[in-house]
Amino acid sequence: MALQLWSHPYAAYGQKASVALYELDLPFDLRLVDAADEAGMAAFRAVSPFGKMPVLVDGDRRLVESSIVIKYLDQRAGGGRLIPTDPEAALEARLIDRIVDTYAGGPMNRIIPRKFRPAGNEDPYGDAQDEGVLTSAWDWLEQRLSDGRTWGAGEAFTLADCGAAPILTYARRLVPFGDRPRLRAWHRRLMARPSFVRALEDAAPFGDLMPAPPAED
């Protein structure tokens, strides 16, 4: 039975999981999460206890949280590819993953829903706070990359890069990278990674759903 990934191709954390699947060359079926499909949403809620994407289904096993999904996929593919076997390298990959998820993905996922609020319900204070967190994340990552590493956690493409590819791509449209050359160079490499190119191709038929213009920096 093929792996099933319940998600939407445009969802950042869904893309994080699909990048891992493509990196590991694991075939999977995408189960589209579409809010307009009542029957589909009922099936999704049956596998997702919190109604969050992505969910990985492998036989009787159901896994939520994208980092846990990737840990499982790495083990399923033999181990040591997206989660390094070296303890120090694995720690660095998990650290970058958590920073990107929490301090870039977190603010991004708070700012975006506010942009869809009806007029008169804006939250400029909340936006400013979250933009500040994103700025701090960009500063921290720029400094972390100062040792000349190629990818987020070193010379190998890991868990850290699976999440950074979509999250940096979308979050920089809210708070640009600015004068952070190492961060910009890492993101260029992520954009050229074949696994992320495939994830973006999956999302392309749905258009541009991001309520912010493309980054110009």
Side-chain angles (χ1 to χ4, degrees):
M1 181 178 180
L3 295 166
Q4 293 180 354
L5 182 68
W6 289 76
S7 188
H8 189 285
Y10 206 92
Y13 290 105
Q15 286 185 8
K16 176 179 173 179
S18 64
V19 166
L21 285 158
Y22 288 136
E23 280 287 327
L24 298 170
D25 197 26
L26 292 172
F28 68 99
D29 293 329
L30 176 66
R31 298 297 300 270
L32 180 66
V33 177
D34 180 0
D37 178 0
E38 293 185 8
M41 289 303 294
F44 171 59
R45 286 190 289 270
V47 300
S48 180
F50 304 105
K52 299 292 185 181
M53 302 178 282
V55 178
L56 182 78
V57 177
D58 185 8
D60 294 331
R61 189 187 296 269
R62 300 170 183 176
L63 292 168
V64 298
E65 293 297 319
S66 56
S67 297
I68 300 300
V69 167
I70 292 173
K71 171 67 174 175
Y72 175 75
L73 293 173
D74 190 66
Q75 291 175 338
R76 198 179 190 276
R81 291 179 61 183
L82 297 179
I83 310 293
T85 54
D86 176 75
E88 288 298 320
L91 184 64
E92 184 68 9
R94 290 189 174 98
L95 172 62
I96 301 299
D97 174 68
R98 298 320 308 140
I99 294 296
V100 169
D101 271 10
T102 304
Y103 300 106
M108 177 185 76
N109 284 331
R110 290 190 293 270
I111 293 172
I112 291 172
R114 291 197 290 259
K115 291 185 176 295
F116 290 101
R117 290 181 179 180
N121 291 276
E122 295 85 359
D123 183 7
Y125 180 75
D127 286 348
Q129 282 189 312
D130 284 322
E131 288 166 5
V133 174
L134 265 170
T135 298
S136 295
W138 296 162
D139 287 340
W140 189 92
L141 290 167
E142 177 72 11
Q143 177 59 36
R144 201 72 177 183
L145 294 163
S146 64
D147 60 3
R149 65 186 67 180
T150 299
W151 298 106
E155 293 310 299
F157 188 98
T158 67
L159 163 70
D161 304 287
C162 293
I167 291 173
L168 267 60
T169 296
Y170 299 128
R172 70 179 297 204
R173 293 172 68 163
L174 303 171
V175 175
F177 290 154
D179 186 20
R180 298 178 179 88
R182 291 183 286 267
L183 183 59
R184 290 158 62 96
W186 177 32
H187 183 248
R188 284 195 296 271
R189 291 190 286 274
L190 291 170
M191 290 292 293
R193 188 75 176 187
S195 56
F196 186 46
V197 171
R198 290 181 69 180
L200 291 176
E201 289 172 348
D202 292 342
F206 296 90
D208 189 346
L209 303 180
M210 181 72 177
E216 296 182 353
D217 66 333

